[in-house]
Amino acid sequence: MWLRRLQARKQHNYSAVGNHKKYRYTAVIMDKSVKKSIKAKPKSIGRKSPHVLVKGKNKTAAGVKPKYGLGAKTTVKKIATDKVEEMEARYQKRVLTEMKIHDSVDHLLPIKIKGKGLISRTIPKQIENRFDTNLAESSNDPPEDAEANLSETHPTEPAVLSLTDILFKRDEQIKEKQFYIGVTCAAILENPEARIENVSALLDLLKETNRDGSINLLAVRKTAMISLVEVFKDIVPEYRIGIVDKEQQKLKKDTLARVNFEHKLLTYYKQLLKHLEGLISNYTRKLKHSEKQSIETRQLLEMAVQCMCDLVLAHPYFNFTPNIVQVLVLMLNNTKEPIRKMVHACFSSLFKTDTRLDLTHHTVRHINMLIKKKQRNIYPEMISCLKYLQINRINMNDDVLLELKKQKLEKHKSYVINMSRKERKRKKKLAELEKDIFETKAEESKQVVRRKLTEISKLTFMIYFKILKRYPDSKVLSVTLEGLSKFAHTINIEFYADLIELLNNLLENVELGYREQLHCIQTVFIILSGQGEVLNIDPARFYSHFYKNLLFVNAGKNHDDMETILKTLDIILFKRRRNVTYHRYVSFVKRLSTLCLQVLPNGSLGLISLIRSCIHMNQKLDILLDTDAVVGSGKFDPFNDEPEFANANCSALYESSCMARHYHPTVRKMITNVLNNSDTVPIAAGRTLTPGEFYTNYDCSEMVFNPEIPRSPKVKYGKNHRMSLASKISKREMLKNSSNKKQVLKFANSINGLKHLHYDYFLEYLQGSKASN
C-alpha cells in the first residue's frame, strides 16, 4: 500500500512541474506579444501538505521534523516548489511593469560593449513628445536636460512652415498691430493732454524694425503713418506754438501743464515730419544714383507725400508748414505723375483758401526758384497750379476810393464835434462815425492783403514772361499761355505793347499747336478789351489766326477747348464788334455754322446762340438766311484763311438744313428759332441762356442727354414693331434672288400695309414690271 501511495505522489509532483513549465512558456509568449495581460495566478501546484500524526495534536510537516525518511523527502520537494512560485511571481511582476511603460518607451538599437555583450537601450517617449510640442508652441521652452539628452541622440532640425501658415501668421500680426494702433489713437483723442505720451508708441511703428529686432511689416507702417496724421489733424491747434522759457517766467499750474503739452506735441510733430522727409530723401537719393526702386519704397513715397499734403491743408498756419511746402515744391517736379497730381491738387486748394497769403507767397517764391534751377526741364503741373491764385482780386482803383472815403469821414467827424451842442446827440453821432472809421481801418487792413497779392502777381508774371522769352518751345508753354490769359487784365498797361508783340512773334515764328495759338489769341483780345483799348494796335493778324484755327476743334478729345473758343468769340463779336468789319463779321458767322456740325450738342447750342445774337444785333447778316439773294460779287472760298477775303456774303447758312435734322431735340428747336428769326429756348425765369451757360447746362460728356429726353408716348409696342419690320425686310432680301415671280408678287402684296411708314421702292419696281408685262 505504501508503495502505491509513493508512486502516486511522485506522479502528482511531476504533473505539477509540467503544469508549471507550461505556465512559464505561456508567460514568455505573452511577454513577446504584449497584447494581453498575464492570466490570473494558477491554482496550487501540489496538494496540501501531508499531516503527520503527533501525540495529542495534528501538526503539519512544516513545524515538526518527520520521523520517517519519506517525510524528509516531501519537505525538500515542497521547499523547491515555493522557490519556483516566488521566482514566477517576480517574473510576472517584471513583465507587468514592462507592459505598463511600453507605450511611453521607445527601444533603440542595442550596442555591444567588450566584456558586457549586447546592451539594450530605450528612450522615454514623453520627453520626445514634449520636444515636438515645443517646436509647434514657441511659448513653452523645454527643459535643458531634455534638450541635452535629445541633442545626443537626435539632431534638431528647423521647423518648415507652409506658405499658408506664413500668410496666416502675417495677417494675424497685422490685425493685432492695427487693433493696437486703433486703440492707442482712440485713447489719445479722448484726452490728448493726459495721453500725449502714447504718440511715441505710434512713432516707433513707423520704423523698419521693431525694438526686438523683428521686421516691421509694410501694412503696419502705412497704417501707423495715416493714423498719426489723422491724430495730429485733430489735436494740433490753429495757432502757431511759440517757445516759452519756463525757468525765467513764473507760470501757473494750468499754464505750465498747457506749455508742457504744446512742447511735447511740437516735438512729436517734428519727429513725424522728419520721418516723412527721410522717406522722400531716400527715394530722391536712389533716383539720383539710378538705383532700382522697390515697390515698398514707391508706396511709402506716395503715402508720405499724401500725408504732407493733408497736414498743409488742415493746418496751413501751424509750425513747420513752410518747411513742408519746400519739400512739396520739389515733388511737384517729380517724374511720377500720381505724385505730381497729388501736390498739384494740394497747392490748388491752398491757393484758393489761403486768406493770409503768406504761405501762398512762400510757395510761389520757391516755385520760381526751382524754375530758375531746372530751366526748361519742368512739368506742366508746376505752372498750371498758378492759375488758381487769387491775384484777380486786385482792383486798380481801390486806393483812390479808399482815400476819398477816409477824408470824407474825418471831415464829417470834425464838423460834428464843433457844431453839436447837446451831449447825447453828439455821443450818438460820434459813435456812428467811429463805427464808420473802424470799418475804414478794416479797409486799410485789406491794403496789406492787396500788397501781398501784388507781390504774388509780380512773381507769377515773372515766371510767365521768363518761359515766353527763354523757353518758347518747352512743354509748359500751353499752360503758361492759359494762365496768362486768365490774369492778363491785372498786368500793368506799360507792358501791354511788349506783350502783344511777344505773342505775335510766337504765332508767326514758333511752331505752336492750335491750343497754344488759341490761348495766345485769347490773351491778346483780353488785353485789348480792357484798359488796352487806349493802345493803337490793329489785331487783324490775330483775327486771321483765330479764324484759321476754329475748325481744328471737333467732338473728340479736344472738345474741351470749345469753352476757350466761346469766351474769345464773345470778346470778338460783341465787346469789340465796332472794330470788326462787315466782311469779317459775315465770315466768322459762316465759319461758326460749319463748326456746329462737328462738335457735341452743348458746343453746337453755344455756337447757335452766338449766331442768333449776331443776326439780331446786325441786320445786314439776314442775307445769310436767304438762299436766293447775293450781295456783291465773287464766290465763297471756305479754304481761304483770311476772313476779309473769303466772300462769305455770297453764300448762305446751308448747314442749318443739317442741324434741323439733328439727333438732339434742343438743337433742332434752336436752329428753327434762328431760321424763323425768333427768340431761342428760354429758361424758367424767362431769360435766354448765354453761350457759356448752354455749353455747361447741356454737357453730354458722359454720353447721355443732358437734360434727359423723355420717351415719346405716341409709339406703342415700338420694339415688337421694329422686330416685325426687320423680319419682313429680311424676307424681302431673300426673295430678291428667287426665280418664282408669283411668290415675289404674293409677298409684295402682303407688305402693302407698310406704306404709311416708309416709301417702298422695291414694291414700286415690282408693280411697274407687272404693268409692263
Side-chain angles (χ1 to χ4, degrees):
M1 291 294 293
W2 64 269
L3 185 56
R4 261 189 250 167
R5 290 179 182 176
L6 181 60
Q7 292 176 353
R9 186 176 298 172
K10 288 181 179 180
Q11 188 177 0
H12 176 73
N13 291 335
Y14 293 154
S15 176
V17 172
N19 292 336
H20 179 64
K21 290 181 178 179
K22 184 179 180 181
Y23 166 72
R24 289 187 61 188
Y25 178 75
T26 305
V28 171
I29 295 299
M30 295 178 68
D31 180 30
K32 292 182 179 180
S33 61
V34 198
K35 292 182 179 180
K36 299 181 181 180
S37 61
I38 300 297
K39 296 182 180 180
K41 186 177 180 182
K43 297 181 180 179
S44 61
I45 300 173
R47 63 178 185 176
K48 294 181 180 180
S49 300
H51 290 75
V52 181
L53 183 61
V54 184
K55 286 186 180 180
K57 294 183 181 179
N58 292 332
K59 296 183 179 179
T60 60
V64 180
K65 186 179 180 181
K67 295 181 178 181
Y68 309 101
L70 183 63
K73 294 180 180 179
T74 304
T75 304
V76 173
K77 295 289 183 182
K78 181 176 180 301
I79 292 173
T81 303
D82 291 339
K83 289 182 178 180
V84 171
E85 288 184 5
E86 185 179 356
M87 290 173 62
E88 291 295 336
R90 287 198 303 269
Y91 181 77
Q92 180 182 4
K93 185 177 180 180
R94 183 166 62 85
V95 171
L96 290 173
T97 305
E98 290 180 358
M99 289 177 60
K100 289 180 180 179
I101 65 174
H102 182 271
D103 295 335
S104 59
V105 174
D106 284 341
H107 293 272
L108 304 178
L109 292 175
I111 60 175
K112 187 176 181 180
I113 300 177
K114 187 176 181 180
K116 294 184 181 181
L118 291 175
I119 297 177
S120 60
R121 297 185 302 160
T122 59
I123 183 171
K125 267 189 177 180
Q126 57 182 1
I127 300 177
E128 188 178 10
N129 292 338
R130 182 173 61 189
F131 180 72
D132 293 338
T133 305
N134 291 334
L135 286 177
E137 300 176 3
S138 59
S139 58
N140 299 326
D141 296 331
E144 296 180 358
D145 298 338
E147 292 181 356
N149 295 333
L150 290 173
S151 63
E152 296 177 359
T153 57
H154 294 284
T156 58
E157 296 181 359
V160 179
L161 299 177
S162 64
L163 180 60
T164 306
D165 296 336
I166 294 174
L167 293 177
F168 179 77
K169 186 176 180 181
R170 178 182 177 277
D171 292 340
E172 290 293 330
Q173 185 178 358
I174 291 174
K175 290 180 181 178
E176 180 182 356
K177 293 290 186 181
Q178 288 178 346
F179 179 77
Y180 171 74
I181 292 171
V183 172
T184 307
C185 293
I188 295 173
L189 295 177
E190 184 179 356
N191 191 356
E193 296 185 1
R195 298 171 181 171
I196 190 63
E197 296 291 343
N198 294 344
V199 178
S200 61
L202 297 178
L203 290 171
D204 293 337
L205 295 176
L206 298 176
K207 301 177 182 178
E208 296 182 0
T209 57
N210 297 319
R211 292 183 177 180
D212 56 356
S214 60
I215 298 177
N216 196 8
L217 297 175
L218 177 62
V220 177
R221 297 175 65 186
K222 292 168 68 175
T223 306
M225 192 184 303
I226 297 173
S227 303
L228 274 171
V229 171
E230 295 298 326
V231 168
F232 280 121
K233 285 168 63 177
D234 290 338
I235 66 177
V236 164
E238 295 295 334
Y239 54 87
R240 183 182 179 87
I241 295 177
I243 299 175
V244 179
D245 192 356
K246 296 182 289 185
E247 296 180 356
Q248 297 181 1
Q249 297 181 7
K250 293 183 179 180
L251 304 175
K252 295 182 180 179
K253 185 177 180 180
D254 296 340
T255 307
L256 182 61
R258 185 65 184 179
V259 169
N260 292 333
F261 166 73
E262 291 178 351
H263 177 70
K264 292 179 181 178
L265 177 64
L266 199 59
T267 303
Y268 292 141
Y269 189 76
K270 185 177 180 180
Q271 292 180 10
L272 174 62
L273 295 180
K274 282 185 176 181
H275 177 77
L276 298 178
E277 187 177 359
L279 294 175
I280 295 175
S281 61
N282 183 30
Y283 174 84
T284 307
R285 177 181 56 81
K286 290 183 178 181
L287 188 65
K288 184 177 181 181
H289 293 85
S290 301
E291 298 181 9
K292 188 176 181 180
Q293 304 285 352
S294 61
I295 299 177
E296 180 178 353
T297 305
R298 292 196 295 267
Q299 291 181 357
L300 288 175
L301 174 68
E302 294 180 5
M303 188 65 65
V305 172
Q306 185 62 52
C307 290
M308 281 189 169
C309 293
D310 294 342
L311 291 175
V312 168
L313 294 178
H315 301 284
Y317 312 121
F318 191 64
N319 302 59
F320 307 116
T321 302
N323 305 82
I324 301 175
V325 168
Q326 294 180 18
V327 178
L328 291 179
V329 168
L330 297 176
M331 291 295 103
L332 193 60
N333 199 40
N334 193 273
T335 56
K336 302 295 181 182
E337 185 178 0
I339 296 177
R340 296 200 305 268
K341 287 185 177 180
M342 281 191 291
V343 182
H344 180 271
C346 173
F347 285 165
S348 301
S349 302
L350 178 65
F351 294 158
K352 291 178 184 178
T353 58
D354 189 15
T355 56
R356 300 183 185 179
L357 298 175
D358 293 328
L359 193 59
T360 300
H361 181 265
H362 182 77
T363 306
V364 176
R365 186 166 60 87
H366 279 277
I367 290 176
N368 184 29
M369 294 170 59
L370 185 61
I371 292 175
K372 285 183 180 179
K373 181 179 179 181
K374 297 291 183 179
Q375 295 181 357
R376 66 176 68 248
N377 300 322
I378 55 177
Y379 288 92
E381 285 81 3
M382 185 170 291
I383 307 298
S384 61
C385 66
L386 298 177
K387 67 181 180 181
Y388 298 98
L389 292 170
Q390 305 178 37
I391 56 180
N392 54 354
R393 293 164 43 186
I394 300 176
N395 189 358
M396 302 298 179
N397 298 323
D398 281 349
D399 292 339
V400 179
L401 295 176
L402 186 64
E403 188 66 25
L404 292 175
K405 184 177 180 180
K406 184 178 179 180
Q407 292 177 2
K408 183 178 179 180
L409 292 174
E410 290 290 345
K411 183 177 180 180
H412 193 193
K413 178 180 178 181
S414 60
Y415 175 78
V416 170
I417 292 175
N418 296 329
M419 299 300 295
S420 61
R421 296 180 180 180
K422 296 183 179 179
E423 191 68 17
R424 184 181 300 176
K425 291 183 179 181
R426 186 170 62 180
K427 286 184 178 180
K428 185 177 180 180
K429 292 183 180 181
L430 281 175
E432 294 176 356
L433 289 174
E434 291 292 343
K435 183 179 179 180
D436 294 339
I437 293 175
F438 178 78
E439 292 178 356
T440 306
K441 290 180 180 179
E443 291 292 335
E444 289 178 355
S445 65
K446 291 183 180 180
Q447 292 298 311
V448 179
V449 177
R450 189 175 182 277
R451 185 172 64 252
K452 293 179 181 178
L453 285 174
T454 304
E455 295 176 359
I456 293 172
S457 64
K458 288 180 181 179
L459 290 173
T460 305
F461 288 119
M462 186 185 300
I463 294 172
Y464 287 158
F465 294 156
K466 185 186 304 180
I467 294 173
L468 292 177
K469 291 182 179 180
R470 297 184 182 180
Y471 321 116
D473 57 342
S474 64
K475 55 188 174 182
V476 298
L477 181 62
S478 177
V479 292
T480 302
L481 293 171
E482 185 179 356
L484 189 63
S485 63
K486 184 176 181 180
F487 304 124
H489 63 281
T490 61
I491 304 175
N492 196 332
I493 193 173
E494 299 175 358
F495 302 101
Y496 278 0
D498 296 336
L499 181 59
I500 291 175
E501 189 64 28
L502 177 62
L503 295 176
N504 183 59
N505 291 334
L506 287 176
L507 289 171
E508 293 180 354
N509 302 325
V510 181
E511 295 182 0
L512 302 178
Y514 87 95
R515 194 168 187 271
E516 288 79 5
Q517 295 185 24
L518 288 179
H519 288 304
C520 282
I521 297 165
Q522 183 185 12
T523 304
V524 170
F525 283 111
I526 287 175
I527 292 173
L528 296 179
S529 63
Q531 298 180 3
E533 292 180 351
V534 297
L535 298 177
N536 189 15
I537 297 175
D538 184 17
R541 47 193 172 178
F542 298 104
Y543 285 120
S544 301
H545 288 301
F546 187 64
Y547 181 81
K548 178 179 62 175
N549 290 307
L550 277 177
L551 295 182
F552 282 101
V553 183
N554 51 49
K557 295 182 179 180
N558 59 0
H559 189 266
D560 293 337
D561 296 329
M562 277 299 302
E563 187 174 2
T564 303
I565 290 176
L566 292 175
K567 291 180 180 178
T568 309
L569 286 171
D570 182 68
I571 298 174
I572 294 174
L573 300 179
F574 299 116
K575 295 182 179 179
R576 293 182 54 84
R577 63 181 181 273
R578 295 180 180 178
N579 301 325
V580 181
T581 62
Y582 169 74
H583 293 284
R584 188 174 291 159
Y585 214 110
V586 174
S587 298
F588 268 104
V589 173
K590 176 62 179 177
R591 180 58 60 93
L592 294 183
S593 64
T594 306
L595 183 60
C596 289
L597 300 178
Q598 63 184 39
V599 294
L600 292 177
N602 56 336
S604 300
L605 291 172
L607 295 174
I608 293 173
S609 177
L610 285 172
I611 293 172
R612 185 199 67 84
S613 301
C614 292
I615 293 175
H616 281 193
M617 287 189 297
N618 194 343
Q619 296 181 357
K620 295 181 181 181
L621 297 178
D622 292 342
I623 192 65
L624 294 174
L625 301 178
D626 191 356
T627 58
D628 296 331
V630 176
V631 177
S633 61
K635 185 178 180 181
F636 173 63
D637 184 9
F639 300 103
N640 195 335
D641 293 337
E642 292 293 335
E644 192 73 28
F645 308 106
N647 295 326
N649 54 332
C650 299
S651 178
L653 300 180
Y654 296 109
E655 296 83 1
S656 58
S657 60
C658 296
M659 287 185 286
R661 291 178 283 127
H662 199 275
Y663 64 89
H664 200 286
T666 310
V667 175
R668 296 197 301 267
K669 188 174 182 179
M670 280 195 64
I671 196 64
T672 304
N673 293 338
V674 171
L675 296 176
N676 295 333
N677 201 14
S678 60
D679 292 335
T680 185
V681 182
I683 58 176
R687 180 181 61 86
T688 56
L689 298 176
T690 62
E693 291 174 345
F694 272 115
Y695 179 80
T696 305
N697 296 344
Y698 290 88
D699 185 15
C700 299
S701 58
E702 298 181 359
M703 302 306 294
V704 293
F705 285 110
N706 185 19
E708 184 179 359
I709 299 175
R711 182 177 297 178
S712 177
K714 297 181 180 180
V715 179
K716 294 184 179 180
Y717 309 106
K719 184 176 180 181
N720 297 333
H721 178 73
R722 290 193 301 271
M723 291 177 63
S724 62
L725 183 61
S727 63
K728 291 179 181 180
I729 293 175
S730 63
K731 290 180 181 179
R732 181 175 56 187
E733 294 295 332
M734 291 172 60
L735 292 174
K736 282 183 179 180
N737 300 325
S738 177
S739 60
N740 192 355
K741 192 173 182 180
K742 293 182 179 180
Q743 191 177 4
V744 174
L745 293 174
K746 182 179 179 181
F747 177 74
N749 294 329
S750 64
I751 59 174
N752 283 335
L754 300 178
K755 281 187 176 182
H756 62 282
L757 295 177
H758 64 281
Y759 189 77
D760 199 336
Y761 296 94
F762 180 65
L763 182 60
E764 182 183 5
Y765 169 74
L766 291 177
Q767 291 176 353
S769 62
K770 182 178 178 182
S772 63
N773 293 334

